[in-house]
């Protein structure tokens, strides 16, 4: 049997449906803002510790100016202009210094003592200087170029 609903019942149904839609939209918007956050701590593998001159980070479709403290994420491409210099620091004490007209890409991450660090970097063009402290149990650092690959490992391994 079909039951005829009063206008009051229909109004409650519309309000409930609108409330559900509003809550769902709010949750989706919140998740979208969280996902598009440029520097989620979970994705950060390091940060810019020094900069002189001008440099940019390509992150997805965005190009961001580099400043001291800017987080570096996996899949970021860091590029310096002529005459610039940038140092990227990582929680394990390692660092990568980029000279002018240099471009690198952070390709992968690893975990050292529960902290996320860059574990594979590709040198696209230019010059870099890396400092990787010798720590037992630490995975080897890896830097790739178009024509060579350098992997460092502790002599204790």
């Amino acid at each position: 049997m079909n039951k005829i609903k009063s206008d009051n019942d229909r109004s409650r149904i519309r309000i409930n449906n609108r409330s559900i839609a509003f809550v769902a939209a709010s949750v989706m918007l919140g998740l979208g803002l969280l996902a598009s956050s440029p520097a989620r701590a979970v994705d950060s593998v390091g940060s810019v510790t020094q900069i002189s001159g001008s440099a940019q980070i390509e992150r997805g479709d965005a190009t961001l100016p580099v400043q001291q403290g800017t987080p570096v994420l996996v899949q970021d491409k860091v590029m310096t202009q002529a005459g610039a210099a940038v140092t990227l620091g990582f929680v394990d004490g390692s660092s990568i210094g980029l000279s002018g007209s240099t471009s690198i890409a952070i390709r992968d991450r690893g975990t050292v003592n529960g902290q996320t660090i860059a574990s594979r970097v590709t040198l696209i063009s230019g010059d870099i200087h890396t400092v990787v402290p010798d720590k037992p149990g630490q995975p080897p650092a890896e830097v790739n170029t178009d024509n060579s690959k350098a992997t460092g490992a502790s002599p204790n391994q």
Side-chain angles (χ1 to χ4, degrees):
M1 300 253 188
N2 290 339
K3 191 174 189 181
I4 298 176
K5 294 184 180 185
S6 70
D7 287 338
N8 195 19
D9 288 339
R10 287 187 193 122
S11 176
R12 268 190 249 149
I13 291 170
R14 268 183 270 163
I15 290 171
N16 288 341
N17 287 342
R18 285 184 196 153
S19 297
I20 292 169
F22 177 74
V23 169
S26 297
V27 168
M28 290 173 63
L29 178 60
L31 291 174
L33 290 174
L34 181 63
S36 66
S37 172
R40 292 190 316 256
V42 125
D43 294 336
S44 178
V45 294
S47 65
V48 175
T49 57
Q50 295 179 353
I51 180 167
S52 68
S54 179
Q56 298 80 34
I57 292 179
E58 281 185 9
R59 184 171 293 155
D61 294 335
T63 300
L64 312 168
V66 171
Q67 300 172 0
Q68 189 165 339
T70 300
V72 179
L73 312 180
V74 173
Q75 302 305 322
D76 277 357
K77 182 177 176 183
V78 183
M79 302 160 294
T80 59
Q81 301 299 315
V86 169
T87 301
L88 306 177
F90 306 99
V91 296
D92 67 339
S94 63
S95 64
I96 299 175
L98 288 72
S99 61
S101 302
T102 296
S103 181
I104 67 165
I106 308 295
R107 298 291 185 204
D108 204 357
R109 65 179 171 239
T111 304
V112 173
N113 297 325
Q115 296 180 311
T116 304
I117 62 165
S119 65
R120 189 166 58 102
V121 176
T122 298
L123 174 62
I124 299 166
S125 63
D127 299 306
I128 61 171
H129 175 80
T130 61
V131 175
V132 180
D134 182 23
K135 294 183 182 177
Q138 181 172 323
E142 182 179 308
V143 177
N144 298 307
T145 69
D146 287 339
N147 56 11
S148 67
K149 176 179 174 179
T151 301
S154 169
N156 299 329
Q157 293 182 348

